[in-house]
Amino acid sequence: MTGHLPALALGEHSIRQIDGLFSLNDLHAASGSNPGQRPGNFLNTDNTRALVEEIENAGISAISTARGRNGGTYACRELVIAYAAWISPAFHLKVIRVFLAANAPAQPSLLTAPDPATVSAPFDPDRIKAASKAASQVAADLYGQIFNSILDGDDGWKYGRWILAFAHDPQAGAVPYVRRMNDDAMVVSLADLPRRLMEPGGLLPTNKELAAIAAACNQKLIQRIEGAAA
């Protein structure tokens, strides 16, 4: 291993790179240095061995050991993300966001600031910065869920529908919310539900589902009538 690259910043820690591989020892330190989460423990699991085999079958160098001043265990990006997920969901998301930020220039420019000449509204750098940050947060969350689905052998992410939204946290502010919808789920407003039920080719609930909706509506009306009369 000879090709030293600039270290990747992960919070206050630097993750060394050699020949396109990243130091798992540095990642362990960045995660808090829990003795039970050392790289060796991760690499000895059956799931990790299977993942390494799949990566190497694809012709990718998965892991290597270096000695000397930059010694330690170095792993490819896929293993780094899997290691972070093995440590904790919070650390997993943190690592994903770092990789997304590091590779943003090479990605299709959905998260980069637009050319001011193409923006019809007054160009506001602060708004552009906030928009890029929000989009990056959602992309990181979605990336993590799809990555885990692929590792689990779940191909449903290819055909599923996703909800992308933000929930407000008093301390953290806008927190991204990305979830895959159930296959039988739908998004429709209460105001639009009657029309969608009645229109030809619209929603196609079963008789049992229609009966349940009707019963719930009747029960709610009875509750309101009784409440108004009390």
Side-chain angles (χ1 to χ4, degrees):
M1 299 178 70
T2 57
H4 292 253
L5 297 171
L8 190 68
L10 185 61
E12 298 178 353
H13 295 265
S14 295
I15 312 301
R16 291 166 294 172
Q17 297 186 60
I18 299 179
D19 294 337
L21 303 179
F22 302 84
S23 170
L24 294 186
N25 303 88
D26 291 345
L27 277 165
H28 180 238
S31 70
S33 300
N34 185 324
Q37 296 173 338
R38 291 190 179 99
N41 296 341
F42 164 71
L43 294 172
N44 285 330
T45 67
D46 291 339
N47 285 343
T48 302
R49 291 194 185 101
L51 179 59
V52 169
E53 184 177 354
E54 289 294 327
I55 292 171
E56 292 181 341
N57 285 342
I60 300 172
S61 176
I63 195 165
S64 184
T65 301
R67 296 182 178 181
R69 185 169 61 87
N70 287 305
T73 302
Y74 289 75
C76 65
R77 188 170 316 212
E78 291 84 351
L79 273 181
V80 166
I81 295 175
Y83 179 46
W86 181 76
I87 290 175
S88 74
F91 190 61
H92 184 203
L93 182 58
K94 186 175 182 179
V95 169
I96 287 173
R97 286 175 173 166
V98 167
F99 275 123
L100 282 174
N103 290 282
Q107 302 297 321
S109 185
L110 289 176
L111 306 182
T112 56
D115 183 347
T118 66
V119 180
S120 57
F123 189 79
D124 186 335
D126 291 336
R127 285 181 178 270
I128 294 296
K129 183 178 179 180
S132 296
K133 179 181 178 181
S136 296
Q137 288 176 322
V138 173
D141 197 349
L142 182 60
Y143 181 101
Q145 294 195 46
I146 291 177
F147 184 89
N148 286 333
S149 294
I150 294 174
L151 288 185
D152 293 339
D154 176 11
D155 290 334
W157 65 272
K158 297 179 182 178
Y159 319 105
R161 295 167 297 156
W162 296 79
I163 292 178
L164 286 75
F166 284 87
H168 180 73
D169 182 275
Q171 296 181 341
V175 179
Y177 178 92
V178 180
R179 295 292 181 272
R180 197 171 92 193
M181 296 174 60
N182 293 333
D183 292 339
D184 60 349
M186 66 185 74
V187 178
V188 59
S189 68
L190 287 174
D192 199 36
L193 181 57
R195 181 186 66 81
R196 295 290 303 277
L197 286 170
M198 294 299 296
E199 68 181 357
L203 301 178
L204 299 173
T206 64
N207 291 342
K208 183 178 180 179
E209 290 168 338
L210 278 175
I213 293 172
C217 291
N218 286 333
Q219 186 62 36
K220 178 60 70 174
L221 285 172
I222 290 171
Q223 290 174 355
R224 291 189 174 181
I225 292 171
E226 291 176 345

